[in-house]
């Protein structure tokens, strides 16, 4: 449920601070690291960016991310201005998937640049144009990478920092054979840019990835299961008390990419090879449709990238329907509940126990303080795993 555009400030708010390479070097130089909240479409991460961006703790600087996927102009501007209000001058950016319809991709990028967010981050495909738009508009560009080769390429193209996303991540996963610990080593070796580690991370891993040379970590799934995000309560409930057999890998309609989701009647249907064609989205976008597109298929993806549309709606499924049904309606039978492997590390057993975003951040701070204390107390001046006192100070 995106912020209500009717409560927007009439004038755009002041720019968010730029999160570029120099800003990150300054943060790291001051002994702190980045705690990035990963953007989650469609609308799954709404309401989170400003809350995470407001965090400026002793060891972590919070960084929020808004997902622009299938947002109307009014919805995206509302979510950005809401984050500006809630973050009180903190860092937050906008996530764009290169696989979406080219017109929407450019429209959303231009809105984010006009609103002067802290950075634009691109996932699920590569567009070089966005790097030029960002340079011209004075907004740092960030790439999501699944290999050292891509990291080196993005550095050459002008990215300011990178997110290395491993196989444990949620939603669409690229190279599902590349686990995060080895990916971080590969990416850090391939680039001089600051690298943020993402995919399956929880509080107990943060020190380890910082030791490997990351400037911070990105968490997404953990923030789905928090008390104050906008995502439907049923989505949160799908994230508690789960076992390994509750997590499945599906074939998405987006380029046939693999994706991780919570198992339910919908993923069972996909496993049986049943097609789920698009249905009307009037209930969500109203009679004017999505940016004027009123048919059941709103052509959310780039030309030729939707397996459902390419098959004349006889195969695969409509991803916009499935994700909206999950995030907005909380339809546990027909919705698609993307998740990450860290779903299995969520300790709470009931929605009523879920912590707020601020409490999750406080836990992360506490764990880092414990790790530093353990390193300081070790006779060799290092933690049991080799962490030096200086690295965790
Ligand atoms: C429900 C869901 C939706 C996601 N949507 C997107 C997206 O639209 N764009 C993107 O780049 N990453 C997306 N991701 C990936 C996350 O931003 C994040 O990088 C990844 O899940 C790693 O963090 P985690 O393991 O803590 O979830 C999504 C993840 C989830 C769980």
């Amino acid at each position: 449920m995106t912020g209500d555009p009717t409560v927007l400030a009439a004038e755009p708010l002041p720019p968010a601070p730029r999160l570029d390479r120099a800003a990150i070097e300054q943060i790291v130089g001051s002994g702190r690291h980045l705690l990035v909240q990963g953007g989650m479409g469609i609308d799954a991460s709404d309401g989170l960016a400003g809350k995470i961006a407001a965090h400026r703790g002793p060891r972590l600087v919070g960084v929020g991310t808004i997902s622009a996927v299938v947002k109307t102009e009014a919805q995206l501007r509302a979510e950005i201005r809401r984050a500006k209000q809630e973050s009180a001058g903190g860092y937050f950016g906008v996530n764009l998937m290169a696989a979406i319809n080219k017109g929407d991709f450019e429209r959303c990028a231009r809105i984010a640049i006009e609103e002067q967010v802290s950075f634009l981050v691109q996932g699920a495909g590569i567009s070089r144009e966005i790097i030029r738009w960002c340079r011209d508009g004075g907004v740092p560009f960030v790439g999501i990478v699944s290999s050292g080769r891509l990291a080196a390429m993005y550095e050459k193209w002008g990215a300011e920092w990178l997110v290395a996303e491993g196989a444990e991540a949620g939603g669409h996963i690229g190279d599902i054979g590349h686990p995060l610990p080895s990916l971080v080593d590969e990416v850090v070796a391939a680039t001089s840019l600051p690298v943020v580690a993402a995919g399956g991370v929880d509080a107990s891993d943060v020190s380890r990835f910082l030791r490997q040379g990351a400037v911070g970590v990105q968490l997404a799934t953990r923030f789905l299961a928090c008390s104050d995000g906008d995502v439907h309560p049923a989505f949160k409930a799908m994230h508690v008390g789960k076992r390994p057999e509750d997590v499945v890998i599906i074939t998405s309609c987006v380029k046939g990419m693999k994706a991780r989701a919570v198992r339910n009647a919908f993923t069972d249907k996909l496993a049986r090879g049943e097609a789920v064609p698009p249905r009307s989205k009037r209930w969500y976008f109203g009679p004017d449709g999505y940016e004027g597109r009123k048919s059941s298929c709103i052509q959310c993806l780039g030309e030729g990238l939707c397996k459902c549309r390419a098959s004349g709606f006889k195969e695969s499924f409509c991803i916009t329907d499935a994700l909206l049904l999950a995030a907005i309606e909380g339809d546990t039978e027909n919705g698609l509940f993307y998740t990450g492997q860290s779903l299995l590390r969520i300790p709470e057993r009931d929605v009523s126990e879920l912590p707020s975003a601020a409490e999750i951040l406080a836990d992360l701070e506490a764990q880092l303080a414990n790790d530093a204390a353990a390193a300081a107390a070790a006779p060799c001046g290092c933690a049991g795993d080799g962490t030096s006192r200086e690295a965790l100070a």
Side-chain angles (χ1 to χ4, degrees), residues 154-206:
Y154 266 138
E155 177 165 8
K156 210 164 86 192
W157 287 358
E160 290 283 331
W161 50 283
L162 301 170
V163 176
E165 196 175 73
E168 303 86 345
H172 294 115
I173 38 186
D175 175 3
I176 69 170
H178 209 152
L180 186 60
S182 59
L183 178 66
V184 170
D185 281 342
E186 182 183 317
V187 172
V188 167
T191 178
S192 69
L193 294 178
V195 175
V196 168
V201 179
D202 87 352
S204 63
D205 306 315
V206 180

Side-chain angles (χ1 to χ4, degrees), residues 160-381:
E160 290 283 331
W161 50 283
L162 301 170
V163 176
E165 196 175 73
E168 303 86 345
H172 294 115
I173 38 186
D175 175 3
I176 69 170
H178 209 152
L180 186 60
S182 59
L183 178 66
V184 170
D185 281 342
E186 182 183 317
V187 172
V188 167
T191 178
S192 69
L193 294 178
V195 175
V196 168
V201 179
D202 87 352
S204 63
D205 306 315
V206 180
S207 296
R208 169 214 183 132
F209 290 114
L210 301 184
R211 221 162 42 237
Q212 282 184 252
V215 296
V217 293
Q218 172 165 301
L219 276 67
T221 300
R222 172 68 265 198
F223 288 112
L224 285 172
C226 80
S227 61
D228 47 358
D230 286 358
V231 78
H232 195 283
F235 206 122
K236 300 178 186 186
M238 287 290 260
H239 275 73
V240 293
K242 295 296 177 189
R243 296 155 303 166
E245 56 270 33
D246 296 318
V247 181
V248 291
I249 303 292
I250 64 148
T251 301
S252 167
C253 68
V254 185
K255 302 192 280 185
M257 273 199 277
K258 298 292 176 208
R260 184 173 280 112
V262 185
R263 184 179 173 190
N264 68 347
F266 184 77
T267 61
D268 285 351
K269 209 183 236 190
L270 298 183
R272 290 193 299 271
E274 289 179 38
V276 188
R279 42 191 187 184
S280 168
K281 291 155 186 64
R282 262 179 92 96
W283 67 271
Y284 186 63
F285 293 114
D288 293 337
Y290 174 62
E291 294 293 306
R293 279 140 40 202
K294 297 178 191 167
S295 55
S296 297
C297 172
I298 56 166
Q299 304 183 5
C300 59
L301 297 177
E303 197 62 44
L305 299 184
C306 176
K307 276 171 68 92
C308 186
R309 194 168 155 220
S311 70
F313 309 113
K314 292 191 175 63
E315 291 172 22
S316 196
F317 65 99
C318 171
I319 190 155
T320 294
D321 280 344
L323 294 178
L324 281 177
L325 285 176
I328 305 297
E329 293 284 279
D331 182 337
T332 53
E333 285 215 355
N334 303 300
L336 176 58
F337 294 81
Y338 274 168
T339 193
Q341 196 59 31
S342 63
L343 162 83
L344 301 173
R345 307 175 82 179
I346 291 171
E348 295 83 23
R349 287 288 168 265
D350 189 87
V351 179
S352 63
E353 299 166 11
L354 292 180
S356 64
E359 286 167 340
I360 292 171
L361 288 156
D363 270 1
L364 286 155
E365 291 277 4
Q367 179 72 47
L368 277 178
N370 281 344
D371 292 349
C380 60

Side-chain angles (χ1 to χ4, degrees), residues 95-173:
N95 176 288
L96 272 165
M97 300 210 312
I100 64 172
N101 175 314
K102 279 204 175 321
D104 294 331
F105 184 77
E106 180 162 1
R107 172 178 56 81
C108 292
R110 296 219 178 271
I111 292 168
I113 291 168
E114 215 176 282
E115 298 276 341
Q116 291 282 296
V117 297
S118 303
F119 60 91
L120 268 184
V121 55
Q122 169 174 247
I126 299 166
S127 150
R128 246 186 110 164
E129 278 185 304
I130 191 175
I131 303 175
R132 183 167 46 80
W133 302 334
C134 282
R135 196 170 37 238
D136 294 349
V139 172
F141 171 80
V142 181
I144 300 179
V145 300
S146 57
S147 70
R149 194 184 57 80
L150 187 54
M153 196 175 83
Y154 266 138
E155 177 165 8
K156 210 164 86 192
W157 287 358
E160 290 283 331
W161 50 283
L162 301 170
V163 176
E165 196 175 73
E168 303 86 345
H172 294 115
I173 38 186

